[in-house]
Amino acid sequence: IQHRVLLFGVINNMAIPSSITRFGKNEPFELQVARGQIENHKTIFKFGFNPDVDGTEETIWDAGGLYAYPSSAVVMTVTTAAGSPATDNGVKVTIQGLDEDYNEVSEEVTLAGAGTATTIQTFLRVFRAFVLGSQEPTADLNITNGGTTYARITAGENQTLMAMWTVPAGYTGFLDHVNFSTGTTNNNQYVTAQFVQRQLDGVFRALLKQSLSEGAAADFVIRYPILIPEKTDVEARAVSSGTNNSISADFSMIYIKNSSVD
């Protein structure tokens, strides 16, 4: 479906030329949303990688294991794994997630001489972190609270690899694409991947599931997008029939402001 938009978009306080549809031409709806031209519509693209999946189910993210969510909003501490923490003094990190009310929040912190930085903002969810600026960390950066890791920036990536997200308050998500790809080349081994959701106060349940073997991929283009309610956690998971199998996953979603929210 092609839509015509006559609005003048503003992104990051910068004026963006309006859609070519002003001149009677068509422009894809997806591009209009990405350009911020469709009011109350946002998009999210998440991707993750797990380098070592074995016989126990794990979340597809860079820290390994099954992800543990905070039970309440907490401050986050970024810590370098460098042998000499001072070498990462000055590294800037942006953390993105949700606050105690499931509203989207973001904070930038700068590592000090001890190789740590703690947020002022509290986070109920952390779904992305990345290095901002020209200084790269020399080692992994762990984003933690109370000994639990909620995100990790692997050295050299400068970005978390977390195939997981939570729909913010006041929005409804519509899942339209999920992809899995395994790096295993081990004979007679396979990886079983699934995409799961957990609605508020509920349990995780499968939305789709696929077995992959010997470097296979599974791409799900969802013709009729799946409705994901506000405050719902979604994530990609995998388990292997053997050991030392890697897997990646990505998904995309449009989320639209609920009509009952001002």
Side-chain angles (χ1 to χ4, degrees):
I1 298 174
Q2 306 296 334
H3 297 250
R4 294 189 175 187
V5 174
L6 304 180
L7 299 178
F8 196 90
V10 176
I11 300 177
N12 295 328
N13 297 320
M14 296 180 63
I16 303 298
S18 58
S19 170
I20 61 175
T21 56
R22 285 190 64 165
F23 307 103
K25 298 180 180 180
N26 291 325
E27 186 172 73
F29 174 69
E30 294 81 5
L31 178 58
Q32 292 176 351
V33 174
R35 294 178 65 187
Q37 295 178 333
I38 309 298
E39 187 177 6
N40 297 327
H41 289 57
K42 299 182 181 182
T43 61
I44 185 75
F45 175 71
K46 296 293 281 110
F47 52 92
F49 179 74
N50 190 322
D52 184 10
V53 175
D54 299 320
T56 302
E57 187 175 58
E58 302 185 28
T59 303
I60 301 178
W61 71 313
D62 19 19
L66 201 61
Y67 190 84
Y69 293 81
S71 58
S72 60
V74 294
V75 297
M76 295 290 168
T77 298
V78 184
T79 305
T80 179
S84 176
T87 61
D88 286 335
N89 182 23
V91 171
K92 298 181 184 298
V93 176
T94 296
I95 302 171
Q96 297 178 337
L98 303 179
D99 67 10
E100 62 183 356
D101 296 316
Y102 286 85
N103 297 312
E104 293 175 288
V105 290
S106 178
E107 183 174 346
E108 177 188 321
V109 297
T110 303
L111 271 62
T116 64
T118 299
T119 65
I120 297 173
Q121 172 70 51
T122 58
F123 291 84
L124 181 64
R125 297 287 185 268
V126 172
F127 54 74
R128 179 183 284 122
F130 55 90
V131 176
L132 185 70
S134 60
Q135 183 179 350
E136 294 190 37
T138 61
D140 293 351
L141 299 179
N142 293 309
I143 299 168
T144 65
N145 177 279
T148 300
T149 298
Y150 294 110
R152 173 175 295 167
I153 299 175
T154 302
E157 300 289 354
N158 296 322
Q159 156 84 44
T160 51
L161 306 175
M162 309 171 68
M164 53 190 299
W165 188 62
T166 302
V167 181
Y171 285 83
T172 298
F174 296 89
L175 179 70
D176 58 16
H177 180 252
V178 179
N179 179 76
F180 297 107
S181 180
T182 177
T184 178
T185 56
N186 299 321
N187 291 329
N188 302 318
Q189 288 192 21
Y190 61 90
V191 174
T192 300
Q194 66 173 335
F195 194 81
V196 298
Q197 70 162 345
R198 178 179 63 183
Q199 296 186 19
L200 185 65
D201 298 325
V203 296
F204 278 108
R205 60 185 179 90
L207 284 179
L208 56 87
K209 193 169 187 175
Q210 180 74 40
S211 290
L212 308 168
S213 62
E214 299 184 24
D219 191 58
F220 298 89
V221 178
I222 304 170
R223 182 178 179 185
Y224 301 101
I226 299 172
L227 186 151
I228 310 292
E230 65 174 352
K231 304 179 183 180
T232 297
D233 300 313
V234 295
E235 66 174 83
R237 295 179 175 181
V239 61
S240 173
S241 65
T243 58
N244 307 124
N245 291 306
S246 66
I247 187 167
S248 61
D250 62 75
F251 64 91
S252 62
M253 192 182 304
I254 184 171
Y255 57 115
I256 303 172
K257 194 170 186 180
N258 298 335
S259 60
S260 61
V261 178
D262 294 331

